[in-house]
């Protein structure tokens, strides 16, 4: 991979910031889940008011997966920073997947739908496309 030859568009810089935020949140959530089973497992209350304890296996597996996703987001942010075409495709694919899953989580999924639609718009501008085509 070579160094970028053009100035990074503002929309791409905004997407990089959002990717870093997602990376840090996933890493923090992963660490929290890996440590939360120590002592009493956390519990959630379902719609009927019953308290359900989250199993240790669930916490450990999801914690490890969140850590992995956070590391992958760091990698994606670095690729985006240098203008990699693969990063462009991955960002678009993840945004579309997140929009689809946002519809399954309605009414709580609206924030994911809106944020990912903005990300799609930012990486689909002509200056962003030029940025991502400089390093194939």
């Amino acid at each position: 991979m070579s160094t970028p030859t053009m100035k990074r568009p503002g929309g791409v810089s905004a997407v990089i910031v959002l990717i870093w935020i997602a990376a840090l949140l996933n890493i923090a959530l992963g660490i929290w889940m890996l440590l939360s089973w120590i002592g009493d497992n956390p519990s959630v209350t379902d719609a009927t008011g019953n308290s359900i304890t989250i199993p240790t296996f669930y916490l450990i597996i999801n914690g490890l997966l969140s850590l992995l996703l956070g590391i992958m987001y760091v990698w994606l942010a670095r690729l985006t920073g240098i203008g990699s075409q693969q990063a462009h495709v991955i960002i678009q694919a993840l945004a579309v997947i997140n929009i689809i899953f946002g519809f399954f989580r309605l009414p709580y999924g609206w924030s994911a739908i809106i944020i990912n639609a903005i990300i799609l718009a930012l990486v689909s501008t002509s200056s962003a496309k030029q940025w991502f085509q400089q390093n194939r």
Side-chain angles (χ1 to χ4, degrees):
M1 290 184 239
S2 61
T3 57
T5 57
M6 64 181 281
K7 188 175 187 291
R8 182 185 312 137
V12 173
S13 296
V15 170
I16 292 172
V17 169
L18 290 172
I19 294 171
W20 273 103
I21 290 170
L24 294 175
L25 287 174
N26 274 287
I27 290 171
L29 183 63
I31 291 170
W32 176 80
M33 281 193 276
L34 286 173
L35 296 177
S36 67
W37 66 272
I38 299 172
D40 292 335
N41 284 8
S43 60
V44 294
T45 305
D46 64 7
T48 60
N50 297 325
S51 181
I52 301 169
T53 302
I54 302 171
T56 302
F57 178 76
Y58 179 86
L59 292 169
I60 291 173
I61 293 299
N62 282 298
L64 291 172
L65 289 173
S66 288
L67 279 176
L68 178 64
L69 183 60
I71 292 167
M72 289 170 54
Y73 277 146
V74 168
W75 169 76
L76 182 61
R78 294 187 69 206
L79 284 179
T80 304
I82 62 169
S84 171
Q85 178 68 29
Q86 290 83 10
H88 190 229
V89 172
I90 293 169
I91 290 169
Q92 288 177 326
L94 286 175
V96 169
I97 290 168
N98 284 327
I99 288 171
I100 292 168
F101 278 96
F103 283 114
F104 291 122
R105 296 185 194 116
L106 287 178
Y108 307 108
W110 283 115
S111 59
I113 292 168
I114 292 168
I115 290 170
N116 284 286
I118 291 170
I119 289 172
L120 268 179
L122 290 174
V123 298
S124 297
T125 62
S126 61
S127 60
K129 288 180 183 177
Q130 289 175 351
W131 172 259
F132 287 114
Q133 290 177 354
Q134 67 181 341
N135 289 324
R136 291 181 185 256

